[in-house]
Amino acid sequence: MPAEANGEAGVVAPAPEPATEGPKGAAVKRSGRATVEAFLAKYGVVLAFLLTVAVFCIARPHTFATGNNAKSILTVAAPSLVMACGLTVVLVMQDFDLSFGAMIGLADGAAITLMATHGWNWEIALVVALLLGIAAGALNGYLISYLGGPSFIITLAMGTVLTGVEFALTSQDTIFSGVPAAYAKIGQGTFLGFSNMIWIAAVIAALLWVMLDRTELGRYMYAIGGNPEAARLAGIRTKFLRLLGFVAVGLAAAVVGILISSQSAAYSPSPGTSYLLPAFAAAFLGSAVFRPGEFNIPGTILGVLFLGVIQTGLTMLNLETYVINLVQGAILISAVLVSRLGQRVA
């Protein structure tokens, strides 16, 4: 009897394994999916950039995958980098500037006209071009931050005004002679094997990165972009900082005008129009990488390089210009959508 009891009643059969993992397993799966989504939101653009580079290297190994081509991409991208980084400053504060294309043309036309037509010293012409950019940015900032005008409408109208000033100064004439060699050297010269424009763009991007990410001023600008009313109540000078942001855009646009006019040693009407879409595309691409949903200088730099690689690669594939424009537009749309995904994940 003891043995029988021990055999039948004393031994407890092991419990069967659960058929499913239950709520805990589902939570693990959801956590894993969220981790993948967060990674793609943060580094998806980086992966797409590396994949794009790899595709073009395979498609054109003897032309695309060369050091000279890399320098060429950086040189072409330098003006766009300056403009996109300047634009990032106002985007951080949730403002827009649609006038910088016209400001590029005004700075370009003013500098070349003053030198070639009126015989001004190139240093003075350069300073005048920079001051025009600062003045235009300050006017934008005053109308928007102090008088309450919507940035979209004000800067769109200001672009028309600046284009009118450009045409008044230049008479819409194409100028291709009379530019001093010293001025042309700004865009045509090299230093340590790289174009001067690359060094200038790198310095400006570094300075703006330090300002936004490593100074109290930058933290205040991000606070304004997050909640302007809370920033104002916290004692931040929101109006002045917004004005300062537009000044940064105007100054960046003037620098771009100087770079492209010195590189070509010439002027043609409305040279800044082609920079409008790439600058916004690069900035929005940047907001979808590293810090998803937040505009940042490192992301903008990657966005500029991404667009430069695409343009160069597609050109080497002998595609038409309109195809390149279509791809750039599609990238901007994709960047906005990816940026929204990043905000939801964050």
Side-chain angles (χ1 to χ4, degrees):
M1 290 296 294
E4 184 179 357
N6 186 50
E8 296 181 4
V11 178
V12 180
E17 292 292 330
T20 63
E21 296 182 45
K24 183 178 180 181
V28 171
K29 290 181 179 180
R30 285 196 299 270
S31 176
R33 185 166 58 250
T35 300
V36 172
E37 289 177 352
F39 178 83
L40 290 177
K42 193 172 183 179
Y43 298 110
V45 175
V46 178
L47 296 177
F49 172 68
L50 296 176
L51 179 61
T52 302
V53 172
V55 168
F56 286 136
C57 286
I58 294 172
R60 291 290 186 271
H62 302 298
T63 53
F64 186 86
T66 63
N68 287 335
N69 184 53
K71 289 182 180 180
S72 176
I73 292 174
L74 292 175
T75 301
V76 172
S80 294
L81 179 59
V82 173
M83 194 65 259
C85 287
L87 179 63
T88 301
V89 177
V90 295
L91 291 176
V92 160
M93 294 181 282
Q94 301 302 313
D95 283 319
F96 286 87
D97 193 333
L98 300 176
S99 66
F100 63 81
M103 185 60 245
I104 292 172
L106 177 56
D108 183 334
I112 296 296
T113 300
L114 291 176
M115 290 182 293
T117 304
H118 301 288
W120 285 33
N121 183 285
W122 72 269
E123 293 97 333
I124 298 177
L126 185 149
V127 171
V128 169
L130 294 177
L131 290 177
L132 285 173
I134 293 173
L139 182 57
N140 273 335
Y142 180 76
L143 294 175
I144 293 166
S145 61
Y146 284 91
L147 299 186
S151 60
F152 186 90
I153 300 300
I154 293 295
T155 58
L156 185 63
M158 186 58 68
T160 304
V161 171
L162 296 177
T163 300
V165 176
E166 174 196 343
F167 290 169
L169 287 175
T170 64
S171 301
Q172 292 184 263
D173 294 330
T174 299
I175 303 172
F176 50 85
S177 62
V179 178
Y183 181 82
K185 191 175 181 181
I186 296 173
Q188 298 176 3
T190 60
F191 179 69
L192 298 179
F194 292 90
S195 168
N196 290 341
M197 296 203 300
I198 297 175
W199 293 107
I200 293 171
V203 169
I204 291 175
L207 290 175
L208 292 177
W209 172 76
V210 170
M211 183 189 77
L212 287 177
D213 283 27
R214 292 294 182 269
T215 68
E216 192 176 64
L217 181 67
R219 290 193 291 272
Y220 287 164
M221 287 181 170
Y222 275 110
I224 293 171
N227 190 326
E229 182 61 21
R232 185 186 67 82
L233 293 175
I236 296 174
R237 300 173 63 188
T238 57
K239 293 181 179 179
F240 174 74
L241 291 181
R242 291 178 68 196
L243 184 148
L244 189 61
F246 284 102
V247 169
V249 177
L251 184 57
V255 171
V256 172
I258 291 169
L259 290 179
I260 61 177
S261 62
S262 62
Q263 184 185 36
S264 63
Y267 162 80
S268 58
S270 301
T273 304
S274 61
Y275 288 89
L276 190 63
L277 178 60
F280 274 101
F284 274 97
L285 276 172
S287 72
V289 66
F290 302 135
R291 289 182 287 182
E294 189 174 275
F295 293 100
N296 61 93
I297 296 296
T300 297
I301 294 172
L302 179 66
V304 170
L305 294 178
F306 198 170
L307 293 177
V309 165
I310 289 174
Q311 183 170 3
T312 301
L314 294 178
T315 301
M316 286 185 173
L317 293 177
N318 298 320
L319 298 178
E320 297 291 339
T321 302
Y322 76 89
V323 177
I324 299 174
N325 291 335
L326 288 174
V327 172
Q328 288 179 332
I331 287 174
L332 176 57
I333 295 173
S334 301
V336 173
L337 296 178
V338 173
S339 175
R340 296 306 179 193
L341 170 64
Q343 289 178 328
R344 289 201 300 269
V345 172

